[in-house]
Amino acid sequence: YQLDLTHTATFDIAVLLNVTPDHLDRHGDMAGYVAAKKKIFRGSGVAGRQIAVIGIDDAYGKTAHDELRGDPVWHVIPVSVDNTIDDGVWVADGILHDREGNTCPIGHIDTLRGRHNWQNAAVTWAVARARGLSPSQIARAFETYPGLPHRLETVAVIDGIRYVNDSKATNGEAAARALSSFENIYWIAGGVAKEDGLTPTEPYLDRVRHAFLIGEAAITFESMLGSRVPVTHSGDLETALRDAGACARAEGVSSPVILLSPACASFDQYANFTLRGDDFRDLVNSLGGGGAA
């Protein structure tokens, strides 16, 4: 939204992580949404002054990279977690690589769990190197990175159950990334559904033991999940957390995860995703009997 309202702002370093359908009610269609995103690459007109770091693993990012690569104003650095690239930064099997031959293991870092966080790390590496930080400085920072609230945030591990706050996942694509990061998931989802629904999560539904649905999307989500995942209509977050905990304890699987990754906006029950995540954290902390992981 902020980019959409800018008219003259230019940036020394601009980053485009990825583009997936979102906010289409505002932008009209994907073309309008992409156009708003690409405003971050407004040029200053000074040759070689600006740096663009672009994720090229989706078609929109690849197109933006190819379009900008010939612009003399921009020095373009591609980033990938899907393919080896010889002129940028990429991650393969949990090892980050760059075009200078540097490597950095990141697959073992819990706060960088998941391929989406590998992409975040690769982009961060590119920006930090452009600003003059050494590979060893960046690697040390990765090791001590605490993570961000509401983004695969491990709130606590209580009686062997990991409670994860991913309230920031307000669409199906974001929820899919969360599901890809764990096994034995007791999934809390629902709210105000976005355009992509749950379609992006389908490749990862075999990781879900049970889904606990909240908010106005519950009936729609149940039909989308079909017979692949057992479903409970919990209605609200407090009930869903209680239901998920009871189910996880009863099934007794190894390393269970209760994951709030709603794949929805929050506006039916919360003013924003932050308040939804804060409520989840408070509810988990009220359970007691354990501690933060």
Side-chain angles (χ1 to χ4, degrees):
Y1 289 178
Q2 292 173 327
L3 278 173
D4 197 33
L5 297 173
T6 64
H7 300 287
T8 59
T10 61
F11 305 96
D12 296 327
I13 301 177
V15 174
L16 177 65
L17 283 167
N18 48 63
V19 184
T20 56
D22 207 352
H23 309 301
L24 301 190
D25 55 340
R26 176 186 178 92
H27 300 291
D29 55 22
M30 279 300 292
Y33 183 44
V34 171
K37 287 252 188 181
K38 288 168 67 175
K39 286 186 177 183
I40 200 168
F41 298 124
R42 186 181 288 114
S44 64
V46 180
R49 177 183 175 187
Q50 292 166 275
I51 296 171
V53 181
I54 303 178
I56 61 170
D57 290 335
D58 66 85
Y60 298 106
K62 182 64 166 60
T63 297
H65 167 271
D66 294 346
E67 290 174 350
L68 208 60
R69 194 163 191 172
D71 189 323
V73 171
W74 290 93
H75 172 57
V76 182
I77 304 173
V79 165
S80 178
V81 296
D82 286 346
N83 300 289
T84 298
I85 49 178
D86 58 9
D87 59 344
V89 184
W90 70 98
V91 182
D93 297 324
I95 306 294
L96 183 149
H97 306 258
D98 70 14
R99 56 187 167 184
E100 299 172 290
N102 298 303
T103 62
C104 177
I106 59 173
H108 65 289
I109 302 174
D110 190 62
T111 52
L112 296 177
R113 180 189 292 268
R115 292 169 64 82
H116 62 300
N117 273 325
W118 293 0
Q119 185 191 46
N120 291 337
V123 165
T124 299
W125 182 280
V127 172
R129 291 291 290 141
R131 296 300 297 156
L133 275 71
S134 70
S136 61
Q137 288 176 305
I138 306 169
R140 287 196 300 271
F142 285 164
E143 293 285 351
T144 59
Y145 173 59
L148 293 173
H150 317 301
R151 295 162 174 84
L152 288 189
E153 173 194 5
T154 294
V155 176
V157 177
I158 301 174
D159 297 330
I161 302 172
R162 180 186 293 262
Y163 293 81
V164 178
N165 169 20
D166 194 46
S167 183
K168 179 68 169 64
T170 59
N171 57 44
E173 190 70 37
R177 293 169 186 159
L179 295 182
S180 73
S181 302
F182 300 98
E183 302 281 352
N184 292 331
I185 299 167
Y186 297 83
W187 181 23
I188 301 174
V192 181
K194 295 288 187 71
E195 294 82 1
D196 61 353
L198 294 182
T199 301
T201 69
E202 291 178 357
Y204 308 105
L205 292 180
D206 60 345
R207 298 166 177 255
V208 178
R209 301 281 306 181
H210 200 113
F212 302 86
L213 303 180
I214 64 175
E216 67 179 47
I219 294 175
T220 301
F221 278 10
E222 181 177 24
S223 66
M224 290 179 174
L225 292 170
S227 60
R228 294 187 61 185
V229 175
V231 167
T232 295
H233 283 257
S234 297
D236 60 57
L237 188 53
E238 182 174 7
T239 304
L241 184 62
R242 183 173 63 246
D243 292 344
C247 189
R249 288 188 293 272
E251 294 189 347
V253 298
S254 175
S255 302
V257 176
I258 294 179
L259 171 66
L260 170 66
S261 191
C264 284
S266 61
F267 304 132
D268 56 341
Q269 296 180 327
Y270 297 91
N272 53 58
F273 76 82
T274 299
L275 293 177
R276 178 172 60 191
D278 288 345
D279 191 21
F280 178 81
R281 189 190 301 111
D282 290 343
L283 289 166
V284 171
N285 286 335
S286 72
L287 297 175

